[in-house]
Amino acid sequence: MKKLINSPDTVVTDALRGLAAAHPSLEVDVENRVISLAGGPRQGKVGLVSGGGSGHEPLHGGYVGYGMLDAAAPGEVYTSPVPDQILLATQRADAGAGVLHIVKNYTGDVLNFRMAAELAEDEDIRVVSVVTNDDAAVEDSTYTAGRRGVGGTVFVEKIAGAAAEGGADLDAVAAVATRVNERTRSFAIALHAGTVPAAGKPGFALEENEVELGVGIHGEPGRERGSMAPMNELIAYALDVIHADLPVSGNLLVMLNGQGATPLIELYGAFAEATAWIEGHGATVARSLVGNYITSLDQSGFSVTLTQLDDELLRLWDAPVSTPALRWGR
Amino acid sequence: MKKLINSPDTVVTDALRGLAAAHPSLEVDVENRVISLAGGPRQGKVGLVSGGGSGHEPLHGGYVGYGMLDAAAPGEVYTSPVPDQILLATQRADAGAGVLHIVKNYTGDVLNFRMAAELAEDEDIRVVSVVTNDDAAVEDSTYTAGRRGVGGTVFVEKIAGAAAEGGADLDAVAAVATRVNERTRSFAIALHAGTVPAAGKPGFALEENEVELGVGIHGEPGRERGSMAPMNELIAYALDVIHADLPVSGNLLVMLNGQGATPLIELYGAFAEATAWIEGHGATVARSLVGNYITSLDQSGFSVTLTQLDDELLRLWDAPVSTPALRWGR
């Protein structure tokens, strides 16, 4: 499996050097692996920190900026960041009003963010953690007790970031983050497995007529190995699972996300089908993202994420954001 | 080769329906295959039209919006749009000040845009065409007499779009587009071939230790079949070719572009190496894009595009733009 890399050992470091060179709005501490806002956070604003294994770009470093995250801690590929690293990100995000940790529900991430939160509390930085677990595919999984945190994390980061930018205090920002997570469900289907550079071969094997229904963002198994089918059937399968878990209704925020190797022309086609399915179920696509927002290296396939908006969440979604990967309104 | 599609026959139509659903700022005429600005262009502004085969998304439909294109005409996958379709796009972009056609140098595109321009002139719409040919890889190619138009087309569309938005007349907008093209060079390397849906198998075969040096955006052959190498060597090969053709100096606009299936983490690593190479040759990366801006379906690999900026081009690059795929400044 050919990769555009120098060596598996330098993939994350090389990418951080590139992120630094491409985005002067970011301060990238390559040695300590912390991405934060150049100039630091605005005094008195609640800080937002996320992080997790690398390989899901633009998540999380691409979401550091005005109206979203203050700092991100990227681990090795598909590997949790370490507590000291998360502590450093927390310190850089701290502007005197406490820090929200947004943590995808994987055992290592939850543990290491918890340790970092305790270290931060020792330094009188108040930390509240919100764990995302929006994947409707399976209850427990390879790296997870309970549901996995996946695409909904992007929505939590955006909406909580807008609340913090608007002056909400730590408890209020945490409450809105929790609310987004509770109103969000995701489901993913893989067509071809991605390859972790250090492994050098695809993480799992799919035959030419097979797909993985409910795949995780690290290639974890889903509900079942299914048969390859036309795109509209795959979309309907994903949305049926979500709908059975949290009935689809009202105004929705929808993400049709690629896993890294799916062409944008296919993602737009899939979004057309998802929109038709949603409207056919009496709900409305109020806002949307179509593209690669939370990836799995060069895995091919898609995920769909739905959030039931209310007026406040819609307003916060529409608020200005300025990050490398999401930008509007200023 | 599994594809997230309903049928090869509906790939473009499905994607256009998705584009319409995702972006209310666009008017998408699915039947006639024209993407234009909802509400039409501002009266008195020079209109900008581009187009070409589909499969290169977000090019061109993703670049329709304030400060860039007024309309785009997408053909079938890797197939030129037809003259009537380009004429319709031209009519929709016309706001009384003439229309610029931005055409990538492929025989079919050049011919069909020329016919459309003649039809438009019959309707008293003045059209000037600028043909992009920034690919430093080869002189002639599968679908091309002369050099191919590739990544530089994105820069031409952005910078000419800013000139038009700023009130320049048709000749001035065409002149700045021509100047960008002349000061721009690109080079691409493929690791794995992409698959056209109707073909169902990769467009060319690369062994596990091979790369295509100088590949075109339709998988056309480049200079030679080379050996797979570490990323820094591939980047240096690409930049050496560009440098030999147009010496790298001064302030550069740089795009490190994925071909559709290359993870963003790898593109950032490649951009770090490109930046180091450029700085090592005494030039400066003044502005940059890293990501998927002109793709080749699910081909994996990268292209690098360099433009020698001057003060005017830098100012036009920095001017506000608001399209699905490029957005900043408002």
Side-chain angles (χ1 to χ4, degrees), chain A residues 214-237:
Chain A
V215 70
I217 58 171
H218 312 93
E220 306 96 305
R223 295 195 162 194
E224 56 178 329
R225 195 61 60 91
S227 295
M228 183 58 192
M231 171 267 282
N232 57 353
E233 295 179 23
L234 298 178
I235 290 290
Y237 185 102

Side-chain angles (χ1 to χ4, degrees), chain B residues 189-210:
Chain B
I189 297 178
L191 276 58
H192 298 274
T195 296
V196 173
K201 63 184 177 61
F204 55 102
L206 285 173
E207 299 296 327
E208 192 50 35
N209 61 345
E210 285 181 334

Side-chain angles (χ1 to χ4, degrees), chain B residues 42-47 93-100 124-128 167-171 173:
Chain B
R42 182 165 50 77
Q43 275 308 302
K45 189 184 85 69
V46 170
D94 173 40
V99 173
L100 181 72
D124 293 326
I125 301 173
R126 187 173 166 230
V127 174
V128 174
D169 67 19
L170 180 55
D171 290 329
V173 174

Side-chain angles (χ1 to χ4, degrees), chain A residues 1-2 23 191 208 268, chain B residues 1-2 23 191 208 268:
Chain A
M1 193 66 188
K2 285 169 278 187
H23 304 293
L191 275 58
E208 194 50 35
Y268 273 113
Chain B
M1 194 66 188
K2 285 169 278 186
H23 303 293
L191 276 58
E208 192 50 35
Y268 272 113

